[in-house]
């Protein structure tokens, strides 16, 4: 929840950056795309939009609402785009800043900076909970009971004392779901409950963003939710050469969707601000059909990178697939993307598929594009991690903590100190039943490979628990894979460039699970 992100470029700037990135990404990988300089978060105190003659909405919140410097594209917070859903008479002053809780926002004087300028008839939107729940960070952690009283005494009381209207906003949902049911879980439920309680007790307006965002995510589904959150492919945005996996923060598309939910809730509140809500209706027309089939590059054992022509009026693209070797197989969703590029995965190895793209906006979806015929490759290397005496999945090479790298072997751990293993026994397949792990530590696995560009699929999880594993491939941090409890998650990392004849995979994180690796050269 730290404040390290930015306003995504829009219009001509965004299209230019995207076209330039696509031109090099398909063949050159992610190398050389990082920009020099030091990242800086936008100045929250100065992040005001609009110059209206009506009320000002002041936002006190964290990185889910923050306004970001363009360096961090495509990351965005709902606060930086909220103004587009209100009339020009309304000004939005976004004071949200990453890494803050209800307590630390006060301790740093940030609430006082708002209270010093807020006027009668203005509004104070308050959304906290994400960082309040971070018990491992004492400078942030705020117990739910204390959080409730900070809302009551400091935020609600402070706004009322100045004639302003406090609006309590419950914590927005994360991409956290029950894999068995496909439904999203309540994020930070104790803090949601306390926010609802204090709003009721104090008789102040409540925007139950926890409920509305969760209902929205349930509607679009687990896969499409990737486009809401900060799932960014490598080699596209200059500041993210290795891509991003983030289940908490939003890319611009998602920030706009969340801001619209807030505006819709405000429109139902009995406050004067409700009269200023605008632009929540869907567009008049659906986007046109994409005129050409998508183009594939970097084809791997389970997916490929697809690009296609941008469709005017499209807010999102859905990529569908069907197997050519299955009679009467129907198209199903492969993935979605808010830009005309997507890394698809989850395909069967050495299998022929038809792929097509559909353009989508709030009015509906277009007719599908012409189809692309694609056949996935055969993987080059497969490793199954676990105890030395556990079953090894068919076609895989077994790796245990005793498997240390030597030039003669050509693969293995560089140092297995601290590694643990578990075998959960029958009940899942041979790849998923066992794993190696290192809690709150890191370890490195290496395998000799020819120089080139690779796709690496990591299998991560625990059939009897939860998992959280981060991955660094060839020196590039690809983010953390948060597995669903009692399930195995598969995550493919693309554009992994090997230049020294050896592919390095470092695993870190809260649990550091690793069940399997599948590696395919794609360029």
């Amino acid at each position: 929840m730290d404040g390290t992100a930015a306003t995504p470029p829009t219009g001509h700037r965004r299209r230019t950056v995207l076209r330039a990135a696509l031109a090099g990404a398909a063949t050159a990988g992610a190398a050389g795309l990082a920009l020099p300089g030091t990242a800086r978060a936008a100045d929250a105190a100065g992040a005001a939009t609009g110059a209206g003659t009506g009320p000002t909405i002041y936002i006190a919140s964290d990185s889910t609402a923050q306004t970001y410097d363009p360096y961090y594209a495509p990351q965005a917070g709902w606060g930086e785009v909220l103004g587009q859903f209100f009339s020009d008479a309304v000004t939005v002053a976004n004071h949200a800043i990453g890494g803050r809780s209800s307590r630390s926002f006060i301790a740093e004087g940030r609430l006082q900076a708002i209270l010093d300028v807020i006027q009668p008839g203005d509004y104070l939107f308050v959304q906290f909970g994400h960082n309040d729940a971070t018990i491992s960070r004492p400078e942030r952690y705020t117990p739910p009971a204390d959080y409730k009283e900070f809302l009551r005494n400091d935020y609600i009381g402070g706004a009322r004392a100045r004639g302003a209207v406090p609006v309590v906003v419950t914590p927005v949902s994360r991409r956290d779901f029950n894999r068995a049911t496909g439904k999203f879980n309540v994020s930070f439920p104790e803090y949601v409950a306390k926010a609802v309680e204090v709003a009721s007790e104090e008789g102040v307006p409540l925007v139950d963003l926890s409920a509305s965002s969760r209902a929205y995510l349930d509607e679009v589904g687990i896969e499409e939710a990737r486009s809401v959150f900060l799932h960014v492919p490598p080699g596209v945005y200059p500041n993210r050469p290795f891509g991003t996996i983030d289940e908490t923060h939003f890319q611009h598309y998602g920030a706009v969707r969340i801001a619209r939910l807030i505006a819709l809730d405000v429109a139902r509140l009995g406050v004067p601000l409700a009269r200023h809500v605008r632009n929540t209706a869907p567009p008049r027309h659906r986007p046109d059909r994409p005129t050409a089939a998508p183009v594939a590059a970097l084809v791997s054992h389970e997916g490929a990178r697809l690009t296609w022509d941008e469709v005017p009026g499209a807010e999102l693209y859905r990529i569908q697939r069907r197997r050519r070797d299955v009679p009467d197989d129907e198209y199903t969703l492969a993935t979605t993307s808010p830009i005309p590029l997507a890394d698809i995965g989850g395909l069967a190895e050495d299998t022929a598929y038809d792929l097509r793209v559909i353009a989508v906006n709030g009015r509906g979806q277009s007719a599908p594009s012409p189809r692309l015929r694609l056949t996935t490759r055969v993987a080059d290397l497969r490793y199954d991690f676990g105890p030395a005496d556990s079953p090894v999945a068919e076609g895989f090479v077994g790796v245990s903590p005793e498997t240390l790298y030597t030039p003669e072997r050509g693969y293995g751990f560089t140092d297995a100190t601290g590694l643990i293993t578990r075998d959960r026994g029958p009940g899942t397949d041979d790849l998923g039943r066992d794993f190696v792990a290192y809690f709150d530590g890191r370890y490195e696995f290496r395998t000799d490979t020819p120089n080139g560009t690779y796709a690496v699929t990591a299998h991560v999880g625990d059939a009897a628990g939860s998992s959280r594993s981060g991955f660094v491939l060839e020196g590039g941090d690809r983010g953390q894979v948060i597995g669903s409890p009692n399930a195995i998650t598969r995550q493919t990392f693309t554009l992994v460039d090997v230049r020294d004849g050896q592919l390095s995979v470092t695993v870190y994180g809260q649990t550091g699970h690793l069940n399997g690796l599948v590696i395919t050269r794609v360029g």
Side-chain angles (χ1 to χ4, degrees), residues 121-141:
D122 289 341
Y123 293 79
L124 176 60
F125 282 35
V126 184
Q127 182 216 240
F128 288 104
H130 287 70
N131 295 308
D132 296 72
T134 313
I135 195 168
S136 62
R137 302 289 292 271
E139 75 279 9
R140 304 179 181 182
Y141 177 62

Side-chain angles (χ1 to χ4, degrees), residues 224-269:
E224 190 160 315
R226 294 178 189 269
S227 292
V228 175
F229 292 90
L230 201 57
H231 281 245
V232 180
V236 175
Y237 295 94
N239 65 306
R240 302 177 187 273
F242 305 114
T244 302
I245 302 172
D246 184 333
E247 312 290 18
T248 298
H249 301 97
F250 308 113
Q251 49 186 312
H252 186 264
Y253 172 80
V256 172
R257 306 274 90 65
I258 299 302
R260 180 176 178 271
L261 295 176
I262 294 171
L264 287 170
D265 277 350
V266 170
R268 291 187 281 267
L269 297 177

